[in-house]
Amino acid sequence: MSMSKYRIKSVDELTFTDDGMFQAVMREPEICSEVIERLLHLKVSRIEYPELEKTIAPYFSSKGVRLDVYLKDPEKIIDVEMLSYPQMELGLRARYYQSMIDMDSLMKGQNYADMKSSYVLFICKNDPFKDENGREIGLPHYTFTTKCHELDGLNFNDKTTKMIYNASGYKKEKDEKVRDFLRFVYTNNPGEDDFSNLLKDRVMRLKEDEQFKEVYAAMNLREMDIRREERQAALAEGMQIGLSKGLKQGMKQGEHEAKINAAKAMLADGVDINLIVKYTGLSVEKLKTESGKWEAEN
């Protein structure tokens, strides 16, 4: 995994799959409906873009993640996520997003029996699943529902579906419309597909839109604030570890470990190495060593 994938891009560098751009393009109901119908094979009668309940938002934002596209129609709730670089613990991420959907619904006073069908849709540029030998499985899509292990055909009927698309496997996709969309996601080449060319056109227009540029800048500032809070929490945790040892050496060790963890987080985000030196006090040589370890681990 290259650290450059975590670098904040300029507006001119953005493609459809990048944070900010994907959300902006998908705010057009016609485009959002077409993506849903292509990938989930569902008809969407009317799209709403609701905000999470204020009581949910603090828990939501504290995790440092946000739902890319959270939408409803009278019968369904759908969360669409674009994952342009490999993610750790994809299943747990899907579980967390599902919990956000359920909490948001129930805190509006909905009874269990009235809960809508919900879908968590991940669009991944690369295959998130590997076999026991570490090789990519290579399917263009994976569908997960809750079923009984002991009895085939017995469904839990919890109305939840997790759908994961692997854009890198687009050549194996049999549905032509899905294949064209996945190819665009993976290559940024719309080919002759009218819808993919429409997406490309919307991206180009947004790059010239001053309001989008302001929103994109504000989004990145918020991300930086979240990362800064995470680094400060890591430093505080390291100090606590040191204090619990009751020794000065323990304190120094705990603080040093926290600084290393914070540095790794910043390296993962593509933060300039000179800024990391300023924030952590670690030497350039030490950071280069940690950078090598981080890349080897990932």
Side-chain angles (χ1 to χ4, degrees), residues 211-226:
Q211 183 177 2
F212 170 75
K213 292 178 181 178
E214 292 178 5
V215 171
Y216 181 66
M219 183 192 78
N220 286 329
L221 286 173
R222 173 57 182 154
E223 288 296 311
M224 291 176 67
D225 287 342
I226 290 173

Side-chain angles (χ1 to χ4, degrees), residues 96-149:
Y96 177 71
Y97 290 154
Q98 182 65 60
S99 71
M100 289 289 100
I101 292 172
D102 292 340
M103 289 177 68
D104 189 49
S105 296
L106 290 173
M107 293 196 76
K108 289 182 172 69
Q110 199 173 40
N111 295 321
Y112 292 122
D114 298 326
M115 293 179 72
K116 301 177 181 181
S117 295
S118 67
Y119 299 82
V120 176
L121 171 60
F122 285 166
I123 306 170
C124 304
K125 289 191 72 172
N126 297 286
D127 196 341
F129 299 111
K130 294 179 173 58
D131 62 19
E132 62 275 10
N133 297 315
R135 294 175 299 206
E136 293 182 351
I137 293 175
L139 296 180
H141 61 264
Y142 307 83
T143 306
F144 297 91
T145 57
T146 311
K147 297 181 179 180
C148 180
H149 286 227

Side-chain angles (χ1 to χ4, degrees), residues 26 28-39 42-47 49 71 195:
M26 291 285 283
E28 293 190 35
E30 295 79 9
I31 287 177
C32 195
S33 294
E34 178 66 19
V35 171
I36 297 303
E37 289 181 14
R38 285 197 181 203
L39 300 187
L42 298 171
K43 290 292 182 182
V44 183
S45 58
R46 186 185 74 251
I47 286 184
Y49 296 92
L71 57 97
F195 183 60

Side-chain angles (χ1 to χ4, degrees), residues 4-136:
S4 63
K5 294 181 181 179
Y6 292 89
R7 179 176 62 86
I8 295 174
K9 293 184 176 181
S10 68
V11 171
D12 289 340
E13 294 176 290
L14 295 177
T15 66
F16 173 65
T17 64
D18 288 310
D19 282 349
M21 183 60 76
F22 176 72
Q23 293 93 325
V25 173
M26 291 285 283
R27 293 300 288 189
E28 293 190 35
E30 295 79 9
I31 287 177
C32 195
S33 294
E34 178 66 19
V35 171
I36 297 303
E37 289 181 14
R38 285 197 181 203
L39 300 187
L40 292 179
H41 306 291
L42 298 171
K43 290 292 182 182
V44 183
S45 58
R46 186 185 74 251
I47 286 184
E48 302 173 20
Y49 296 92
E51 298 296 331
L52 290 174
E53 282 287 298
K54 290 182 179 179
T55 47
I56 299 296
Y59 302 98
F60 176 63
S61 60
S62 67
K63 287 294 183 183
V65 296
R66 62 183 179 279
L67 299 179
D68 280 351
V69 181
Y70 178 60
L71 57 97
K72 296 182 179 181
D73 81 352
E75 299 178 352
K76 299 176 286 293
I77 302 175
I78 304 171
D79 169 38
V80 187
E81 300 292 324
M82 176 64 72
L83 305 179
S84 57
Y85 54 86
Q87 297 284 343
M88 299 294 291
E89 300 173 331
L90 190 65
L92 296 180
R93 180 180 289 265
R95 175 180 169 183
Y96 177 71
Y97 290 154
Q98 182 65 60
S99 71
M100 289 289 100
I101 292 172
D102 292 340
M103 289 177 68
D104 189 49
S105 296
L106 290 173
M107 293 196 76
K108 289 182 172 69
Q110 199 173 40
N111 295 321
Y112 292 122
D114 298 326
M115 293 179 72
K116 301 177 181 181
S117 295
S118 67
Y119 299 82
V120 176
L121 171 60
F122 285 166
I123 306 170
C124 304
K125 289 191 72 172
N126 297 286
D127 196 341
F129 299 111
K130 294 179 173 58
D131 62 19
E132 62 275 10
N133 297 315
R135 294 175 299 206
E136 293 182 351

